[in-house]
């Protein structure tokens, strides 16, 4: 079984081998999603911030990541903090209006626990915006037939894969009311509200 310490070491090694400030995948499009969600004066969290590129898009943001190497890089863009070893976010209950969790859930062993933590730090009525790779039915069939081993590589960084239904179920289990889930650019984009 892969424990949290092993996962942390994998991501520390990953970040050591990356360029200092890599541009995130589809950065322009994803930046637009985030900026469109934020309202003036809102406090927000970039959950799984990596090198922190999104932190520079709007004031009052804080980034959290599990890898110290990523956090050190993210601090060049704004406030960045370490996820606790037990998975606790270093933020108070109800301290942010928006949680941005983009291209992160698929890498997390305890995705439900992470979403529950996101809910904890959101204010009542706060919003969660998630992006994760999409696997609609036709893509699942093609992957199963042609690229199963390569795509679902057990040594790869993606630990889980979501469909609209499975993502909606996980969000509901974490205490969110799903506002909408759509597919765009082979990506699921989910907007959910912290249930009261």
């Amino acid at each position: 079984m892969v424990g949290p310490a092993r996962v942390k070491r994998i991501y520390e090694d990953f970040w050591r081998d990356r360029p200092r400030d890599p541009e995130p995948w589809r950065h322009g499009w994803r930046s637009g999603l985030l900026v469109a969600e934020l309202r003036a004066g809102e406090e927000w969290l970039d959950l799984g911030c990596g090198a922190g590129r999104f932190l520079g898009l709007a004031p009052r943001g804080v980034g959290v990541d599990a890898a110290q190497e990523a956090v050190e890089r993210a601090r060049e863009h704004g406030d960045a903090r370490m996820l606790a070893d037990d998975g606790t976010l270093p933020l108070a209950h109800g301290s942010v209006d928006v949680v941005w969790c983009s291209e992160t859930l698929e890498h997390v062993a305890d995705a439900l626990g992470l979403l529950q933590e996101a809910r904890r730090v959101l204010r009542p009525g706060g919003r969660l915006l998630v992006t994760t790779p999409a696997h609609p039915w036709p893509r699942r069939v093609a992957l199963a037939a042609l690229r199963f081993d390569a795509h679902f590589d057990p040594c790869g960084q993606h630990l889980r894969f979501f469909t609209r239904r499975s993502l909606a179920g996980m969000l509901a289990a974490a205490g969110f009311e799903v506002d909408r889930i759509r597919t765009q650019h082979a990506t699921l984009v989910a907007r959910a509200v912290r249930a009261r």
Side-chain angles (χ1 to χ4, degrees), residues 24-104:
W25 177 80
R26 291 195 190 262
H27 184 255
W29 172 68
R30 289 165 59 207
S31 295
L33 292 173
L34 173 60
V35 170
E37 184 64 36
L38 294 172
R39 299 175 191 138
E42 286 188 322
E43 296 181 58
W44 62 282
L45 167 64
D46 182 352
L47 182 52
C49 68
R53 279 283 190 99
F54 294 105
L55 290 174
L57 295 176
R60 304 178 68 108
V62 60
V64 173
D65 205 280
Q68 182 66 45
E69 183 72 25
V71 168
E72 288 172 12
R73 294 171 188 209
R75 287 181 177 146
E76 295 173 12
H77 297 282
D79 182 1
R81 306 172 191 177
M82 282 293 298
L83 181 72
D85 288 340
D86 66 358
T88 304
L89 292 170
L91 296 164
H93 295 278
S95 59
V96 297
D97 301 290
V98 174
V99 172
W100 165 248
C101 184
S102 183
E103 305 305 304
T104 299

Side-chain angles (χ1 to χ4, degrees), residues 154-167:
C155 295
Q157 290 186 10
H158 288 187
L159 303 180
R160 64 187 67 250
F161 300 89
F162 293 95
T163 63
R164 281 181 193 223
R165 188 177 345 175
S166 65
L167 182 56

